[in-house]
């Protein structure tokens, strides 16, 4: 059977990257992540990401490019990440998070990212610096 997929967005706006602090479960609470969640049956990765960002942040967003690679979360579950552009709405921590921060490239190391998000965060920041 193929791996299940967690999709996450490197949401970039005005030269900054959006970081979201998890409120649950207890072992992850307080760590920062790229917002997202599990892909559901019948969804593409992009569709799942649009849905997750709507549910978690209350925004309409457009996946732009997949960041190459995928990162194992646990056996049978992998993380895939896309760069994302906001279409409408101001992100707020509606679900799963208790704080959001917009990080300039030089601030990207200021938060305690989940280990598995770090390679995609580094690539997103590299692209922000180039833009
Ligand atoms: O809300 P849903 O069950 O769809 O997903 P979630 O609880 O947000 O994420 C599922 C799993 O993916 C959790 O174990 C998270 O730790 C992990 N995850 C991650 O490692 N990095 C992200 N950027 C998003 C989720």
């Amino acid at each position: 059977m193929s791996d299940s997929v967690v999709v996450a967005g490197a949401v970039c706006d005005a030269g900054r990257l959006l970081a979201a602090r998890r409120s649950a479960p207890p072992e992850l609470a307080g760590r920062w992540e790229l917002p997202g969640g599990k892909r559901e049956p019948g969804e593409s990765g992009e569709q799942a990401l649009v849905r997750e960002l709507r549910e978690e942040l209350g925004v309409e967003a457009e996946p732009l490019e997949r960041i190459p690679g995928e990162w194992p979360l646990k056996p049978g579950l992998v993380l895939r990440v896309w760069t994302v552009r906001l279409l409408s709405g101001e992100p707020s921590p509606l679900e799963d998070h208790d704080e959001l921060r917009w990080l300039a490239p030089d601030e990207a190391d200021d938060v305690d990212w989940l280990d598995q998000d770090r390679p995609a965060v580094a690539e997103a920041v590299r692209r922000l610096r180039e833009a």
Side-chain angles (χ1 to χ4, degrees):
M1 215 180 75
S2 60
D3 287 341
S4 296
V5 176
V6 171
V7 299
V11 181
C12 296
D13 193 50
R16 294 175 305 166
L17 173 68
L18 186 66
R21 190 172 69 183
R22 288 193 68 104
S23 50
E27 63 272 19
L28 300 179
R31 305 285 302 276
W32 293 75
E33 68 175 11
L34 301 170
K38 288 199 190 76
R39 189 175 71 182
E40 290 177 357
E43 284 181 327
S44 67
E46 287 92 340
Q47 287 168 338
L49 186 53
V50 168
R51 175 184 53 73
E52 288 285 348
L53 297 177
R54 187 182 290 140
E55 290 172 359
E56 293 189 355
L57 305 176
V59 297
E60 294 303 314
E62 178 188 23
L64 296 176
E65 288 180 66
R66 173 97 180 267
I67 292 185
E70 59 180 27
W71 297 276
L73 299 178
K74 60 182 187 185
L77 190 65
V78 296
L79 173 68
R80 294 181 184 166
V81 177
W82 281 256
T83 56
V84 170
R85 171 171 89 93
L86 283 180
L87 297 176
S88 65
E90 184 65 29
S92 35
L94 303 180
E95 219 177 60
D96 295 347
H97 304 111
D98 60 6
E99 193 179 336
L100 302 177
R101 275 185 69 179
W102 287 105
L103 301 172
D106 287 348
E107 299 168 328
D109 294 332
D110 289 3
V111 302
D112 184 20
W113 293 101
L114 292 176
D115 296 334
Q116 57 271 23
D117 282 39
R118 288 175 191 265
V121 167
E123 176 59 19
V125 168
R126 195 185 65 74
R127 292 182 188 199
L128 270 182
R129 286 188 198 277
E130 275 183 358

